[in-house]
Amino acid sequence: MHGVIISNLKKYVEEKLGEEAWDTLRDKAGLPGKAFIPISMYPDSDLEDLLAAAVEVTGQGRDEILKDFGAWVIPPLMKMYRSFIPDDWDAVTFLKNIDDRIHERVVRMKDANAKPPHINVSEISPGLLEVEYQSHRDMSYLALGCVYGVAEYYGQKAALMEEKRVVGTHRTFIMRISAAEQTQRDAV
Ligand code: HEM
């Protein structure tokens, strides 16, 4: 797992739970004092153990934490990898290009043998996306949170219309991306 994700998890935990919380989580995860830097790779089990510790400390579910973290992490990732993102992209274009133009480049740049998730995004009709997640890591709710984060980053709103649990860790989300005020109108 790329260090940029775990180092941002540290910032997220400190912002949500306070400075000392990260030490508590690392201790509970059996990783006392371990440093996570954005330019290194770490075993997937480090993230999994930190998540399990976060579940224990907060009482929140793993999926709930992943979703919230996914939305939170998009602005810092956008800032770090701004040069990868053409100025004329909108939320839908960004999401449709996430695998080929972002994940593959960011992850393989660091480790040619890395296994980034497969997130296949297709536009079924204008603004209606099918977001297909496949990865051995079973972090589909991180993907869901990231979609919310991307929509918000571009001043739009995402709404989950349907969730299909395909098989194993493979999930499909049907999501609508719309102008922020349009979603508010629809909700009335
Ligand atoms: C600027 C935007 C983004 C950057 C730079 C970025 C980068 C990364 C990196 C470096 C990883 C670690 C992967 C590995 O080590 O194999 C990762 C994981 C992940 N990303 Fe992104 N990402 C971005 C946006 C998104 C978006 C929009 C989605 C969903 C639509 C998404 C979904 C995920 C998921 C689910 C994982 C967890 C790994 C897994 O399940 O296998 N990311 N991302």
Side-chain angles (χ1 to χ4, degrees), residues 1-5 41-42 44 47 66 70 73-82 84-85 94-95 98 102-103 106-107 114-119 121 131 133-147 149-150:
M1 169 63 59
H2 199 298
V4 76
I5 300 297
M41 299 294 276
Y42 298 92
D44 286 353
L47 179 57
L66 282 171
V73 80
I74 288 297
L77 289 179
M78 292 288 200
K79 200 170 167 191
M80 277 186 80
Y81 295 98
R82 202 172 24 218
F84 288 19
I85 306 164
F94 181 92
L95 290 166
I98 186 66
I102 310 290
H103 278 150
V106 173
V107 177
K115 292 194 174 60
H118 293 294
I119 299 178
V121 178
V131 180
Y133 167 92
Q134 285 189 68
S135 166
H136 61 288
R137 297 194 183 98
D138 195 14
M139 293 187 172
S140 57
Y141 268 64
L142 182 65
L144 180 61
C146 287
V147 175
V150 169

Side-chain angles (χ1 to χ4, degrees), residues 1-184:
M1 169 63 59
H2 199 298
V4 76
I5 300 297
I6 310 188
S7 58
N8 271 298
L9 182 70
K10 174 177 187 282
K11 292 184 190 153
Y12 167 81
V13 166
E14 288 173 346
E15 187 183 298
K16 296 271 167 172
L17 303 173
E19 294 270 320
E20 305 81 43
W22 183 245
D23 289 339
T24 309
L25 290 198
R26 277 190 311 187
D27 290 350
K28 280 191 185 296
L31 302 164
K34 183 160 183 176
F36 295 96
I37 53 170
I39 54 164
S40 290
M41 299 294 276
Y42 298 92
D44 286 353
S45 58
D46 284 3
L47 179 57
E48 207 47 70
D49 293 344
L50 287 162
L51 275 173
V55 168
E56 197 186 321
V57 167
T58 63
Q60 289 180 289
R62 180 179 177 277
D63 280 353
E64 201 183 333
I65 295 170
L66 282 171
K67 187 170 97 174
D68 193 56
F69 172 57
W72 183 94
V73 80
I74 288 297
L77 289 179
M78 292 288 200
K79 200 170 167 191
M80 277 186 80
Y81 295 98
R82 202 172 24 218
S83 61
F84 288 19
I85 306 164
D87 290 340
D88 60 349
W89 277 9
D90 59 8
V92 169
T93 312
F94 181 92
L95 290 166
K96 287 201 288 195
N97 282 285
I98 186 66
D99 258 10
D100 296 347
R101 299 280 295 273
I102 310 290
H103 278 150
E104 283 291 326
R105 275 180 78 188
V106 173
V107 177
R108 301 240 188 263
M109 203 162 69
K110 183 91 3 243
D111 177 356
N113 299 314
K115 292 194 174 60
H118 293 294
I119 299 178
N120 185 32
V121 178
S122 44
E123 197 169 11
I124 309 168
S125 62
L128 193 65
L129 300 184
E130 184 179 72
V131 180
E132 200 187 349
Y133 167 92
Q134 285 189 68
S135 166
H136 61 288
R137 297 194 183 98
D138 195 14
M139 293 187 172
S140 57
Y141 268 64
L142 182 65
L144 180 61
C146 287
V147 175
Y148 285 110
V150 169
E152 192 172 345
Y153 179 85
Y154 284 102
Q156 295 182 279
K157 284 272 176 197
L160 177 62
M161 314 305 286
E162 194 184 339
E163 175 181 347
K164 298 180 204 164
R165 295 187 170 256
V166 186
V167 66
T169 59
H170 185 163
R171 302 274 181 284
T172 300
F173 301 104
I174 306 294
M175 304 201 64
R176 181 169 295 288
I177 306 289
S178 53
E181 59 288 0
Q182 192 183 331
T183 312
Q184 277 163 14

